[in-house]
């Protein structure tokens, strides 16, 4: 079987977010880019499946939509252990556009994994859209994947508990925390080998974006903290009940 | 001129940083406090391929360049001096001389295991009476039949006594004619009868790294354990130290970077007189000076690495880098404590450990005074 991991190239999660002057685009100057953390967990799980499947998983491929500068992120994915990378040479404008591009290269895989959300725009959309475009089944909120007798055994988080479902392949799994314990740190050998692994660049197709960005707003600044003396519990009750209205 | 690191160097930095932040940082303070060497972390460094990074693959290495290795040491030192010391000493002093001067047979036998993180090797040069004056060594090696008989002792030997240590490259006086000493470097396995290793305790710095005292009492090893040629000991020592200086410099740079980041974060958060103390010009200028010194140190060190990787002479630049990086580590750590005020004196704050750990760097592998001597000879004084 072949596994495809969708890789988002996102700002490091400690980035101080800024926008351009008319607040229609993210200001990327000085930003350190990383693999979207959920995608990195998906890749880690794919490597574990490959290593323990006794040859059943033939290849793990990673793909993203992005310009040449996102290749560092793909090289890291190759260093972690992916066999091949595909970059679709376009700006990842929005989820529908990205899914349309990925659909051109995503046929023929038995399992496609996408992170449940992206650390940048938090869209939570590409995986589901891609499944729809490919006519594949998809499962969301996946926190565990095993291969058993040629089928997938999948753990899902549901309200108040969890669920185990058996599913045939092919499948798009939209994965969340728990899919792997921790993202794998590549070894130096992996970094060396990543040099010579294939990184294919694919030209984009014409696809109309489904949404357009109107404006970004920063969250309101935190209000000043009110300190209450330790022997003034009454004041605290008053503030919680009458001002914050949470009691 | 191009100051950009390659994508691969950036990835190595990111990878080692991730490892240091995720696996070393949470335990660094405790290991320091208990003065405990960690075989588990050493093994992890081996798994990641940090030992023998610059060795060819046939010896178990990764075939990376000097700069890759130096970036790895820098990133560990940014989080913890002790673990950086284990890596730097094993790579530069343990593995280095074996790789550069060993026979094919010696290399094939020793290097692959020394790259795994499950075995460490040390370099026995310094003696109780021979520090900066390394030619003052008293440890002797006498040829009896086809064996060396070694007598003497060594001190302050990093990675020399832990359970992971499997041997030492020992510098010994092999002949002394009319006061003219001949030095030979000899490979001694840790289980050789007559070889005793003892961990040294109560250190101020690098408390989670292993520092040893070594004793040789009629310790006999076969003559084929000679590293390089008989009488080549001085050359081996000087070459090893030239390269070793780069890794001590990397420790200085990393320590300075780590202390600076702690100071900057603290100064932006700590409020006095109604504003973050970073907004007071006196602190802002301190932080600006720190950033500038680190920038200079990094450029100098990376240039020395580049010279080495280009196969050009780098002895003067490595001495300069060692001297400058270790001295700015002291200056930056000192100001970082100052910015932390009283909290900087408490063990709960990592900056306290940085302040102690940097102090070795102006002493170990050639004191600042010896570096100035080396540089002054290069410029023709």
């Amino acid at each position: 079987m072949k596994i495809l991991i969708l890789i988002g190239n996102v700002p490091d999660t400690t980035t101080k977010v800024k926008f351009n002057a008319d607040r229609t685009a993210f200001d990327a100057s000085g930003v350190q880019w990383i693999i979207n953390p959920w995608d990195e967990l998906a890749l880690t799980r794919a490597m574990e499946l490959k290593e323990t499947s006794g040859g059943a998983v033939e290849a793990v491929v990673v793909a993203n939509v992005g310009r040449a500068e996102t290749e560092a992120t793909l090289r890291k994915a190759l260093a972690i252990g992916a066999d091949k990378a595909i970059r679709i040479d376009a700006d990842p404008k929005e989820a529908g556009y990205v899914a349309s591009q990925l659909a051109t290269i995503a046929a023929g895989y038995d399992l496609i994994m996408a992170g449940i959300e992206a650390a940048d725009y938090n869209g939570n959309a590409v995986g589901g859209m891609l499944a729809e475009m490919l006519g594949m089944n998809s499962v969301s909120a996946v926190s565990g994947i095993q291969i058993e007798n040629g089928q997938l055994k999948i753990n899902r988080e549901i309200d108040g508990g969890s669920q185990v479902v058996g599913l045939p392949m092919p499948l798009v799994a939209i994965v969340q925390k728990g899919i792997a314990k921790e993202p794998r740190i590549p070894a130096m050998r992996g970094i060396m080998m990543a040099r010579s692994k294939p990184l294919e660049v694919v030209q984009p197709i014409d696809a109309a974006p489904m949404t357009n960005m109107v404006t970004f707003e920063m969250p309101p600044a935190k209000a000043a903290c009110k300190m209450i003396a330790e022997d003034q519990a009454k004041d605290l009750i008053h503030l919680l009940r009458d001002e914050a209205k949470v009691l | 001129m191009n100051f950009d690191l390659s994508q691969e160097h950036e990835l190595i930095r990111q990878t080692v940083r991730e490892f240091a932040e995720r696996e070393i940082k949470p335990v660094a303070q405790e290991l320091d406090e208990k003065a405990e060497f960690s075989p588990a972390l050493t093994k992890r460094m081996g798994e990641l391929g940090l030992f023998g990074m610059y060795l060819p693959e046939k010896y178990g290495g990764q075939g990376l360049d000097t700069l890759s290795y130096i970036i790895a040491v820098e990133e560990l030192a940014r989080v913890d001096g002790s673990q950086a010391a284990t890596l730097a000493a094993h790579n530069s002093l343990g593995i280095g001389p074996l790789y550069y001067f060993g026979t094919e047979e010696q290399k094939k036998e020793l290097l692959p295991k020394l790259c795994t993180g499950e075995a460490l090797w040390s370099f026995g040069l310094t003696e109780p009476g021979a520090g900066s004056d390394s030619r003052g060594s008293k440890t002797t090696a006498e040829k009896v039949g086809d064996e060396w008989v070694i007598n003497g002792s060594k001190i302050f030997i990093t990675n020399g006594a832990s359970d992971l240590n499997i041997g030492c490259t020992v510098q010994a006086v092999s002949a002394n004619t009319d006061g003219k000493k001949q030095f030979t470097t000899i490979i001694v396995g840790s289980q050789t009868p007559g070889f005793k290793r003892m961990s040294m305790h109560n250190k101020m710095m690098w408390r989670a790294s292993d520092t040893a005292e070594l004793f040789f009492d009629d310790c006999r090893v076969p003559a084929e354990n000679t590293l390089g040629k008989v009488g080549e000991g001085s050359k081996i020592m000087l070459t090893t130290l030239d390269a070793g200086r780069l890794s001590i410099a990397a420790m200085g740079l990393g320590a300075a970077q780590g202390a600076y980041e702690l100071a900057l974060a603290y100064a932006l958060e700590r409020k006095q007189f109604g504003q973050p103390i970073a907004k007071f010009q006196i602190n802002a200028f301190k932080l600006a000076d720190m950033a500038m010194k680190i920038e200079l140190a990094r450029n100098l060190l990376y240039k020395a690495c580049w010279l080495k990787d280009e196969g050009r002479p780098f002895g003067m630049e490595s001495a300069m880098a060692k001297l400058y990086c270790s001295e700015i580590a002291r200056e930056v750590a000192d100001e970082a404590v100052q910015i932390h005020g009283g909290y900087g004196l408490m063990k709960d704050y990592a900056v306290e450990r940085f302040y102690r750990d940097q102090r070795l760097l102006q002493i170990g592998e050639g004191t600042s005074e010896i570096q100035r001597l080396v540089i002054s000879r290069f410029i023709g004084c």
Side-chain angles (χ1 to χ4, degrees):
Chain A
M1 71 181 273
K2 282 166 73 182
I3 303 177
L4 178 69
I5 311 291
L6 311 182
I7 297 286
N9 177 64
V10 300
D12 185 277
T13 49
T14 57
T15 305
K16 212 169 172 191
V17 176
K18 290 174 291 182
F19 297 106
N20 64 0
D22 56 2
R23 288 183 285 120
T24 53
F26 172 64
D27 178 358
S29 54
V31 167
Q32 166 85 37
W33 298 88
I34 60 167
I35 302 180
N36 180 38
W38 287 270
D39 303 344
E40 202 173 6
L41 284 173
L43 174 60
T44 300
R45 183 60 194 147
M47 296 321 304
E48 291 167 357
L49 288 173
K50 189 181 177 198
E51 286 153 11
T52 56
S53 71
V57 177
E58 303 146 55
V60 175
V61 177
V62 291
N64 87 325
V65 177
R67 297 294 186 187
E69 59 273 14
T70 67
E71 283 188 8
T73 300
L74 287 175
R75 284 275 173 224
K76 183 174 180 192
L78 292 171
I80 289 173
D83 300 291
K84 180 187 163 181
I86 302 170
R87 177 172 72 80
I88 301 170
D89 189 26
D91 292 315
K93 296 177 189 124
E94 50 88 60
Y97 179 83
V98 168
S100 305
Q101 301 303 336
L102 289 168
T104 64
I105 57 103
Y109 291 93
D110 304 283
L111 172 62
I112 299 174
M113 285 199 248
I116 192 162
E117 51 189 284
D120 47 8
Y121 301 109
N122 201 9
N124 189 9
V126 172
M129 284 181 172
L130 179 64
E132 189 67 23
M133 288 172 186
L134 295 172
M136 280 166 76
N137 291 328
S138 73
V139 187
S140 65
V142 173
S143 60
I145 294 184
Q146 317 276 346
I147 305 169
E148 272 182 17
N149 308 321
Q151 275 222 335
L152 294 170
K153 198 175 100 182
I154 284 184
N155 298 62
R156 291 189 69 243
E157 298 304 306
I158 55 175
D159 195 15
S162 66
Q163 183 185 35
V164 182
V165 288
L167 284 153
M169 292 182 262
L171 182 82
V172 176
I174 297 150
V175 306
Q176 64 168 42
K177 223 173 146 185
I179 185 74
K181 218 169 135 199
E182 276 191 323
R184 184 172 289 192
I185 298 174
M188 295 301 124
R189 177 63 48 87
I191 295 175
M192 289 293 286
M193 282 165 60
R195 261 187 209 171
S196 52
K197 287 181 178 174
L199 195 162
E200 190 187 330
V201 181
V202 173
Q203 289 313 306
I205 55 160
D206 282 333
M210 295 177 184
T211 57
N212 69 305
M213 189 56 64
V214 180
T215 181
F216 287 104
E217 293 291 342
M218 294 298 275
K222 269 190 202 160
C225 185
K226 281 188 188 162
M227 303 299 284
I228 297 155
E230 53 189 309
D231 53 353
Q232 299 299 317
K234 261 190 185 169
D235 292 353
L236 177 64
I237 302 286
H238 159 71
L239 287 170
L240 289 173
R241 182 187 290 150
D242 306 324
E243 231 175 79
K245 299 193 192 321
V246 291
L247 287 184
Chain B
M1 221 173 171
N2 182 356
F3 283 95
D4 279 334
L5 292 183
S6 72
Q7 213 177 66
E8 201 169 274
H9 288 130
E10 290 290 2
L11 185 51
I12 288 169
R13 181 189 299 287
Q14 202 186 333
T15 300
V16 180
R17 181 171 292 197
E18 219 171 301
F19 164 66
E21 294 271 348
R22 207 197 289 170
E23 299 183 33
I24 297 177
K25 198 182 213 168
V27 294
Q29 192 203 340
E30 193 186 337
L31 291 173
D32 174 79
E33 208 160 317
K34 292 184 179 163
E36 195 178 301
F37 170 75
S38 167
L41 283 178
T42 307
K43 194 166 170 223
R44 275 296 286 145
M45 290 187 226
E47 282 168 2
L48 289 175
L50 301 181
F51 293 123
M53 285 174 82
Y54 60 91
L55 296 189
E57 284 186 41
K58 66 171 175 173
Y59 300 127
Q62 314 297 336
L64 291 161
D65 59 8
T66 308
L67 182 56
S68 301
Y69 161 47
I70 285 312
I71 288 173
V73 176
E74 176 192 342
E75 286 301 324
L76 291 193
R78 176 182 162 273
V79 169
D80 181 34
S82 290
Q83 306 310 322
T86 302
L87 179 69
H90 183 56
N91 270 340
S92 295
L93 308 179
I95 287 174
L98 296 175
Y99 171 57
Y100 290 115
F101 298 98
T103 62
E104 196 55 27
E105 210 183 331
Q106 288 168 337
K107 289 197 255 192
K108 286 222 163 104
E109 195 208 322
L110 291 170
L111 294 176
K113 23 184 166 175
L114 295 179
C115 291
T116 61
E118 289 179 21
L120 293 171
W121 197 266
S122 65
F123 185 65
L125 174 65
T126 302
E127 295 186 8
S132 290
D133 178 15
S134 62
R135 296 190 69 83
S137 288
K138 291 203 172 72
T139 298
T140 57
E142 193 188 342
K143 198 77 168 282
V144 179
D146 51 5
E147 282 184 330
W148 287 113
V149 181
I150 307 170
N151 279 290
S153 68
K154 299 285 174 183
I155 197 166
F156 307 133
I157 308 302
T158 306
N159 291 336
S162 80
D163 290 344
L164 295 186
N165 173 275
I166 61 164
C168 177
T169 303
V170 181
Q171 174 89 331
V173 181
S174 49
N176 196 342
T177 3
D178 304 329
K180 196 167 183 287
K181 288 179 180 172
Q182 178 204 58
F183 290 93
T184 298
T185 308
I186 302 164
I187 293 172
V188 183
S190 62
Q191 300 308 317
T192 312
F195 178 26
K196 196 172 152 201
R197 304 164 300 144
M198 282 173 68
S199 277
M200 297 175 76
H201 299 294
N202 292 326
K203 280 180 293 180
M204 175 174 92
M205 43 14 87
W206 293 11
R207 287 170 57 80
S209 93
D210 172 41
T211 309
E213 226 173 326
L214 310 177
F215 302 93
F216 303 89
D217 183 11
D218 276 338
C219 173
R220 287 166 183 269
V221 296
E224 62 254 32
N225 279 25
T226 309
L227 184 69
K229 296 192 184 81
V230 173
E232 228 182 18
S234 285
K235 186 179 125 193
I236 293 177
M237 175 198 79
L238 290 174
T239 313
T240 303
L241 290 182
D242 269 353
R245 279 175 195 140
L246 295 175
S247 59
I248 292 283
M251 292 194 61
L253 173 60
Q257 178 74 36
Y260 158 72
E261 286 178 26
L262 291 171
L264 180 62
Y266 185 83
L268 289 168
E269 199 178 281
R270 169 77 170 172
K271 285 187 179 150
Q272 290 288 278
F273 306 104
Q275 61 174 332
I277 60 169
K279 300 292 170 203
F280 295 111
Q281 193 179 59
I282 189 133
N283 291 326
F285 282 14
K286 274 181 191 176
L287 289 158
D289 282 347
M290 289 182 193
M292 176 184 67
K293 287 172 183 176
I294 290 166
E295 182 70 19
L296 286 169
R298 186 170 286 121
N299 284 336
L300 177 56
L301 173 58
Y302 288 8
K303 183 186 169 192
C305 295
W306 175 79
L307 287 169
K308 181 168 188 287
D309 285 332
E310 290 283 305
R312 299 201 213 170
F314 67 100
M316 180 176 78
E317 288 78 4
S318 79
M320 285 177 168
K322 195 271 181 188
L323 175 62
Y324 189 71
C325 293
S326 62
E327 297 218 331
I328 68 129
R330 179 178 57 201
E331 293 160 16
V332 171
D334 187 51
E335 289 292 25
V337 168
Q338 191 67 23
I339 284 175
H340 277 74
Y343 295 104
L345 306 173
M346 304 303 292
K347 286 196 183 292
D348 294 340
Y349 285 75
V351 74
E352 184 267 350
R353 179 163 44 83
F354 279 83
Y355 181 76
R356 285 184 287 111
D357 278 345
Q358 57 76 26
R359 197 58 187 85
L360 177 136
L361 302 171
Q362 304 97 43
I363 297 172
E365 285 190 50
T367 58
S368 290
E369 291 74 11
I370 290 293
Q371 304 308 325
R372 289 189 165 86
L373 186 72
V374 170
I375 298 163
S376 65
R377 284 185 182 154
F378 270 109
I379 60 173
C381 296

